[in-house]
Amino acid sequence: MKTIQHWINGSPTGATGPEPAPVFNPATGTEQARVLLGDASTVDIAVTAAARAFEAWSESSLTQRTQVMFTFRQLLVDHEEELGRIISAEHGKTVDDARGEIVRGREVVEYACGLGDVLKGSFSDQVSRGIDLHNFRQPLGVVAGVTPFNFPAMVPLWMHPIAIATGNTFILKPSERDPSAANLVADLYQKAGLPDGVFNVVHGGKTAVDAILAHPGIEAVSFVGSTPIAKYVHEQATATGKRVQALGGAKNHAVVLPDADLKFAATHITAGAYGSAGERCMAVSVAVAVGEAADGLVQVLERKAREVKVGPGDAPGTEMGPLVTKAAQERVENAVAVARTQGATVIVDGRGLKIDGHENGFFTGPSLLDHVTTEMDAYQEKLFGPVLAIVRVDTLDQAIDLINANPYGNGTALFTASGEAARRFQRNVKVGMTGINVPVPVPMSYYSFGGWKDSLIGDSPIHGPEGIRFYTRPKVVTTRWPQPKQQVTVGFTFPTSS
Ligand code: NAD
């Protein structure tokens, strides 16, 4: 049985820690590897290596850093297929879907390649007589990222390229469910010429995360995962004086107005709901059908849900793979059963799906629930699976109120032909990322990514300009070069400019 090791100071490391954890192949349901679980001493070894590497890396030139990012970007292109297959084998998503997340993550590396431009400071001449002022940004030191299972490449790529390009050194604690992508990325960074110790991987669960949150040598923590853990990470890490960005869970609504092209809307909502088996933070989990849009929408959604091709992620033609764990499969199937007992109409029932040759895989088919109300568990709970709930309302304003009453505010979408409705929606909805006729509105890397309310704890979105701000401290310098033997008159009042 393969053992997945930590990656510290440029090489695979055994270090200490509790018993390794099993890593499953969700398509077969079998254990395929074991991953080491780091503890406080593993984290300390990584921090020591990263702190030593910071001394030189923070002094490296912008040119050197940019060259590493350029080379790293090309290596991500060259290894896209290999990385996609690694992700698919541990997560369950299709290889093509995994390649999609690599491409979206790579865009952050492309943004980081332009660090010479984004790190430019500004200069003010003659702010007072003979005095100039300029500012620039400096790295924090050793920073850490704690990431979820659902995007084992992309979510860490939201963090480390920016942290490293701005001169920090990084410790990644990836999800213990699909840990291998992180080690290949570490190897690619090394091949790109990144000095040892700048990028490190500590595998593990709560014990490793707690050690990161408590370690005095770590300046900042980036977290993406479920809301309860995001709140916990934010609380613990800020208590030890660290900067924190903490992105939480989601329950995303797509609103369909009667003037929308229903086939277009239903096709996109189907992809947004069942792509990656609904295990995306931007997955559509609720379709809000307004007025007479409902019956026509449900008809097309039903047809589309029945057409989704479910199978192993590496089989050609598969559109939706298994869920990540048996527990997730059981949770989702139980939620469909409860929805029926609470009065929802189960239009498509994905439970009990068996895939030939993969009978023990963690599969469930797409489920479509109609007449869901906001009191039902199917609406209130975060199912994180291929279940689309349809809620019917009478007006756009009711749809907006419903979304605004939901505790999450990650993504949302409106399908309409009306510019006025679109404008009203995007201005009034309390959600961080909004799509107009776009179901999964993930911003490009040169914008920042982040939700509102329980989808983002604290105040810092991730990557783009917010990422640069997060991983650097501003410094302002006020300069005077007096003329030789210039006469000096200084008062004791607080200095003001003249
Ligand atoms: P999770 O919260 O269970 O785990 C995330 C990370 O936290 C993992 O590295 C895990 O090892 C660690 N962790 C788990 N329990 C912990 C504990 N008690 N103490 C300290 N650390 C702990 O999330 P997940 O199941 O891996 O990922 C799915 C969740 O992530 C979903 O809720 C999804 O919506 C969310 N997510 C959000 C975004 C976003 O941008 N807002 C993006 C991707 C995923």
Side-chain angles (χ1 to χ4, degrees), residues 147-150 173 176 206 209 223-226 248-249 281 382 449:
T147 54
F149 81 86
N150 64 334
K173 204 305 285 172
E176 60 276 43
K206 180 171 168 49
V209 176
F223 174 87
V224 177
S226 58
C281 57
K382 199 176 170 309
F449 181 106

Side-chain angles (χ1 to χ4, degrees), residues 146-151 155 158 173-177 204-206 209-210 213 223-227 229-230 232-233 247-250 280-281 382 384 410 433 449 455:
V146 177
T147 54
F149 81 86
N150 64 334
F151 286 108
V155 167
W158 286 350
K173 204 305 285 172
S175 171
E176 60 276 43
R177 290 180 216 155
K206 180 171 168 49
V209 176
D210 284 344
L213 302 179
F223 174 87
V224 177
S226 58
T227 296
I229 312 298
Y232 171 77
V233 166
L247 276 61
R280 293 183 185 141
C281 57
K382 199 176 170 309
F384 220 52
N410 211 40
M433 294 169 286
F449 181 106
S455 296

Side-chain angles (χ1 to χ4, degrees), residues 483-495:
Q483 289 171 11
K485 302 205 170 55
Q486 187 177 326
Q487 207 176 345
V488 181
T489 45
V490 182
F492 288 90
T493 54
F494 193 64

Side-chain angles (χ1 to χ4, degrees), residues 242-264:
K242 301 184 197 328
R243 280 190 186 190
V244 187
Q245 50 184 186
L247 276 61
K251 186 93 181 173
N252 304 311
H253 301 67
V255 179
V256 182
L257 294 187
D259 67 3
D261 176 337
L262 292 186
K263 193 165 166 235
F264 177 90

Side-chain angles (χ1 to χ4, degrees), residues 368-407:
L368 182 64
L369 314 176
D370 195 4
H371 298 287
V372 172
T373 64
T374 51
E375 296 78 38
M376 291 180 188
D377 290 0
Y379 180 80
Q380 296 204 347
E381 285 181 7
K382 199 176 170 309
L383 303 181
F384 220 52
V387 181
L388 178 63
I390 299 161
V391 179
R392 296 172 179 234
V393 299
D394 294 328
T395 65
L396 172 59
D397 288 336
Q398 282 177 2
I400 293 172
D401 289 347
L402 183 133
I403 294 170
N404 289 351
N406 193 282

